[in-house]
Amino acid sequence: MPRLDDATRGRILFGGDYNPEQWPEKTWAEDVRLMRDAHVNSVTVGVFSWARLEPEPGAREFGWLDRLLDLLHEGGIGVVLATPTSSPPP
């Protein structure tokens, strides 16, 4: 069974929730830069994203999430992917 230090690799995880679906995509790169400057190494994403992931019943949109996860990975920031159940679609 995996252990916690398998995921942390000896690091202390430092970060918080990141809700980029509430902002224009053009700001994401600057967000990642600021996270790096603040030594953030882990963020939780997806908490409030249900309406963005499923803009219409049965229609799924994951392209924005793929781009976001790639950007965070390139910035050296780990991701805790949440379920979006705290904000079901309107």
Side-chain angles (χ1 to χ4, degrees):
M1 168 177 269
R3 299 178 339 173
L4 179 60
D5 59 340
D6 293 334
T8 61
R9 299 185 301 276
R11 303 172 297 159
I12 293 175
L13 299 181
F14 174 69
D17 286 350
Y18 178 48
N19 303 299
E21 65 277 2
Q22 299 173 8
W23 305 101
E25 191 168 336
K26 65 183 178 182
T27 66
W28 296 355
E30 177 70 0
D31 290 346
V32 171
R33 186 190 68 74
L34 292 169
M35 287 179 212
R36 296 290 300 157
D37 287 351
H39 303 285
V40 167
N41 61 17
S42 179
V43 294
T44 299
V45 299
V47 176
F48 300 106
S49 64
W50 195 338
R52 181 98 188 251
L53 290 168
E54 187 180 10
E56 298 176 17
R60 307 294 194 281
E61 296 288 334
F62 294 106
W64 69 273
L65 186 58
D66 290 337
R67 293 187 300 278
L68 173 66
L69 296 179
D70 287 345
L71 184 64
L72 290 166
H73 177 75
E74 290 166 8
I77 298 171
V79 171
V80 177
L81 187 58
T83 61
T85 52
S86 63
S87 66

